[in-house]
């Protein structure tokens, strides 16, 4: 635990959702005259007091620029900042903090990797992604493909939202250079079997990049067990602040690929004749970093790691089971994404209703969900829909809130369908 951590109501023994909810002040408010039911955690999760206090304390007691070593305050800020990096290393079970790069989020991390790998890509090379990727794991590769003559090739998805492994096996080939795949789909909730995919890709010398944005809020990925080349996530979906995220990378590859941005901090020596790069991880961290945000993310990880993980995962599974059980109570409702292995995310449509109307009408009842294409337009095309409504649950959601969602949907269906 970092010295910025504070006492939480939640404890390690068992899982008391009422106690957990007291750690998230934003949840106990009224929205549109109704108690807030926050079911948009896939877009961004709420923050426990531990995170708010850690950032507040950082600014009140220790803010200064980092890595300057000129005075005591700077030392304190640097210790807090690098302490957070160590917390991330521990969370991911990475071997070294040299492998933990701060970015602005998943999007920036994937752009960093795609640009870093660009010099290795040639005309006709293939970058394998999946049909269920977020745009953040499609567009940076398309931009790099445009520059290099490589091609972005999507692995197909089964109608139930599981990855089509036959498609993967047939597409992973001689020309594949990169496999860039999501660990968990933000639309479908599908948990992809990335360990065997990484193993197969590695056996062919293919570089593996995993988008963990929707995985880390629900379970802890182990870098040494997965053995991927790159893994990335955003703090704000993991109960931490916005504006910061993480890129984990294999050390040798991080040494080899060029920096993403130039400026202060990322250099060893600058002259007009020749500039050399700083050591890892600083080579990829140009400019003053998001220091308070790093501290906040460290506190968020400490908070989540302070919970009884097994009990938390069981509580989340119960939320999904309850939601699935209630689908039949809303006439015309159907779920998109029914994979065997999925996190508590429910994308759905209701016959005769536009997803954005569902979202607006639920909001009037204090229930926050997301509607639209979820930054996954190719997947929407696959299902032949312009968008879906999506309820995405976190460990602080209750079974009563699931019931409220369905009571709300029943009302809307009766009124408008
Ligand atoms: C699977 C997935 N990848 C990437 C992203 C992009 O994350 P960010 O906007 O924090 O960079 C998201 C955000 O919704 C996501 O769900």
């Amino acid at each position: 635990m970092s010295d910025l951590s504070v006492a939480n109501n939640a404890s390690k023994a068992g899982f008391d959702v009422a106690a957990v909810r007291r750690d998230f002040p934003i949840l106990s408010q009224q929205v549109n005259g109704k108690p807030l039911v926050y079911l948009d955690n896939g877009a961004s999760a709420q923050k426990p007091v531990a995170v708010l206090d850690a950032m507040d304390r950082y600014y009140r007691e220790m803010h200064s620029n980092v890595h300057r070593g000129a005075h005591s305050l700077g030392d304190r800020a640097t210790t807090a900042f690098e302490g957070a990096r160590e917390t991330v290393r521990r969370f991911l079970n990475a071997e070294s903090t040299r492998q933990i790069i701060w970015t602005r989020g998943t999007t920036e991390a994937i752009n960093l990797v795609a640009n870093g790998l660009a010099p290795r890509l040639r005309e006709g090379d293939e970058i394998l992604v999946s049909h269920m990727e977020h745009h953040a794991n499609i567009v940076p590769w398309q931009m790099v493909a445009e520059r290099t003559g490589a091609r972005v090739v999507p692995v197909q998805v089964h109608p139930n939202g599981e990855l089509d492994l036959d498609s993967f096996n047939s597409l992973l080939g001689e020309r594949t250079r990169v496999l860039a795949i999501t660990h968990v789909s933000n639309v479908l909730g599908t948990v992809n079997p990335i360990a065997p995919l990484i193993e197969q890709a590695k056996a062919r010398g293919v570089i593996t990049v995993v988008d963990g944005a929707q995985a880390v809020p629900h379970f802890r990925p182990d870098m040494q067990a997965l053995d991927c080349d790159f893994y990335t996530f955003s703090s704000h979906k993991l109960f931490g602040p916005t504006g910061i995220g993480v890129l984990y990378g294999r050390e040798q590859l991080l040494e080899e690929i060029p920096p993403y941005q130039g400026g202060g901090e990322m250099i060893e020596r600058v002259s007009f004749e020749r500039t050399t790069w700083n050591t890892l991880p600083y080579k990829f961290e140009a400019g003053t970093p998001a220091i308070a945000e790093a501290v906040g993310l460290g506190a968020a990880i400490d908070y989540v790691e302070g919970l009884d993980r097994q009990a938390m995962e069981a509580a989340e599974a119960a939320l999904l089971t309850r939601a699935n059980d209630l689908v039949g109570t809303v006439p015309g409702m159907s779920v998109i994404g029914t994979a065997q292995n999925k996190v508590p995310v429910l994308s759905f449509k209701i016959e005769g209703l536009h997803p954005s109307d569902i979202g607006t009408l639920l909001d009037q009842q204090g229930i926050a969900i997301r509607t639209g294409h979820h930054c996954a337009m190719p997947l929407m095309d696959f299902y032949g829909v312009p968008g879906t409504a999506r309820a995405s649950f976190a460990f602080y959601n209750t079974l009563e809130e699931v019931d409220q969602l369905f009571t709300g949907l029943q009302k809307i269906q009766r009124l408008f369908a």
Side-chain angles (χ1 to χ4, degrees):
M1 285 259 186
S2 76
D3 69 337
L4 285 163
S5 57
V6 296
N8 300 314
N9 291 313
S11 82
K12 193 109 190 164
F15 191 76
D16 176 354
V17 72
V20 166
R21 288 177 72 82
R22 286 199 294 279
D23 291 332
F24 291 81
I26 199 170
L27 296 177
S28 55
Q29 65 175 298
Q30 304 245 320
V31 168
N32 293 326
K34 302 276 166 35
L36 170 65
V37 175
Y38 188 74
L39 304 178
D40 195 17
N41 298 286
S44 200
Q46 302 300 351
K47 323 302 172 199
V49 173
V51 169
L52 310 180
D53 282 357
M55 294 177 75
D56 183 70
R57 212 180 130 203
Y58 166 78
Y59 274 126
R60 284 176 191 276
E61 297 175 16
M62 59 191 79
H63 173 66
S64 180
N65 215 325
V66 289
H67 304 140
R68 303 296 189 267
H71 50 73
S72 304
L73 215 52
D75 288 346
R76 262 193 251 168
T78 303
T79 302
F81 179 68
E82 291 301 331
R85 198 189 306 268
E86 166 58 19
T87 303
V88 172
R89 184 205 64 73
R90 224 181 329 115
F91 177 68
L92 293 177
N93 192 28
E95 278 173 341
S96 161
T97 49
R98 291 163 57 83
Q99 301 174 282
I100 307 299
I101 317 276
W102 299 122
T103 65
R104 281 197 299 125
T106 306
T107 304
E108 188 179 60
I110 296 173
N111 276 277
L112 186 162
V113 174
N115 278 277
L117 295 179
R120 296 169 180 241
L121 295 172
R122 302 277 172 274
E123 180 91 35
D125 284 350
E126 291 180 354
I127 301 157
L128 215 53
V129 299
S130 84
H131 217 104
M132 67 173 89
E133 297 308 315
H134 187 282
H135 297 161
N137 203 24
I138 299 174
V139 183
W141 299 111
Q142 287 177 323
M143 290 164 76
V144 163
E146 180 108 2
R147 263 162 49 200
T148 59
R151 282 192 330 127
V152 176
V153 178
V155 174
Q156 294 311 301
V157 171
H158 288 299
N160 73 351
E162 287 177 356
L163 196 71
D164 181 338
L165 297 179
D166 290 337
S167 167
F168 175 79
N169 288 326
S170 69
L171 292 173
L172 181 72
E174 288 300 303
R175 289 167 177 266
T176 314
R177 296 287 169 269
V178 177
L179 168 66
I181 188 151
T182 196
H183 200 165
V184 171
S185 159
N186 63 317
V187 176
L188 309 164
T190 307
V191 180
N192 282 321
I194 58 163
L197 304 185
I198 292 166
E199 203 177 321
Q200 274 176 267
K202 268 178 36 195
R204 289 179 165 271
V206 171
I207 293 174
T208 51
V209 184
V210 181
D211 173 352
Q214 296 291 341
V216 293
H218 302 289
F219 54 87
R220 197 153 77 97
D222 181 327
M223 293 305 105
Q224 294 186 55
L226 281 177
D227 207 21
C228 54
D229 293 308
F230 297 100
Y231 193 98
T232 171
F233 69 88
S234 301
S235 154
H236 69 100
K237 296 184 198 284
L238 182 58
F239 315 98
T242 54
I244 192 160
V246 169
L247 171 67
Y248 157 89
R250 186 183 301 287
E251 202 164 328
Q252 192 196 333
L253 268 170
L254 289 174
E255 293 284 8
E256 287 171 13
I257 67 175
Y260 179 49
Q261 294 180 327
E265 190 77 10
M266 52 74 72
I267 50 81
E268 178 193 49
R269 203 180 138 63
V270 178
S271 75
F272 285 109
E273 290 70 40
R274 188 172 121 82
T275 291
T276 52
W277 314 138
N278 202 343
T279 51
L280 292 175
Y282 311 111
K283 169 182 158 187
F284 293 102
E285 295 180 359
T288 298
I291 310 167
E293 287 74 10
V295 168
L297 171 57
I301 292 174
D302 281 343
Y303 178 85
V304 176
E305 290 300 287
L307 301 175
D308 179 335
R309 189 165 276 278
Q310 236 186 333
M312 170 189 127
E313 287 180 17
E316 287 193 359
L319 294 172
L320 184 62
T321 303
R322 175 76 135 237
N324 281 328
D325 287 348
L326 290 173
V327 169
T329 65
V330 183
M333 177 171 179
S334 56
V335 174
I336 294 180
T338 52
Q340 272 289 318
N341 189 8
K342 66 178 278 190
V343 299
V345 167
L346 198 75
S347 265
F348 60 91
K349 50 184 186 169
I350 300 177
E351 263 168 47
L353 279 169
H354 195 278
S356 64
D357 292 334
I358 299 174
T360 307
L361 294 164
L362 283 176
D363 183 49
Q364 286 171 8
Q365 302 175 50
I367 303 169
I369 63 157
R370 170 109 185 250
T371 61
H373 55 65
H374 313 291
C375 298
M377 284 184 182
L379 191 62
M380 297 297 115
D381 291 344
F382 172 71
Y383 285 108
V385 292
T388 74
R390 180 190 71 182
S392 51
F393 303 93
F395 57 72
Y396 45 61
N397 288 124
T398 64
L399 293 170
E400 292 71 34
E401 287 181 315
V402 180
D403 293 352
Q404 279 167 282
L405 167 69
F406 280 85
T407 307
L409 291 175
Q410 288 159 7
K411 263 194 223 162
I412 294 168
Q413 200 280 334
R414 274 197 303 269
L415 278 174
F416 295 92

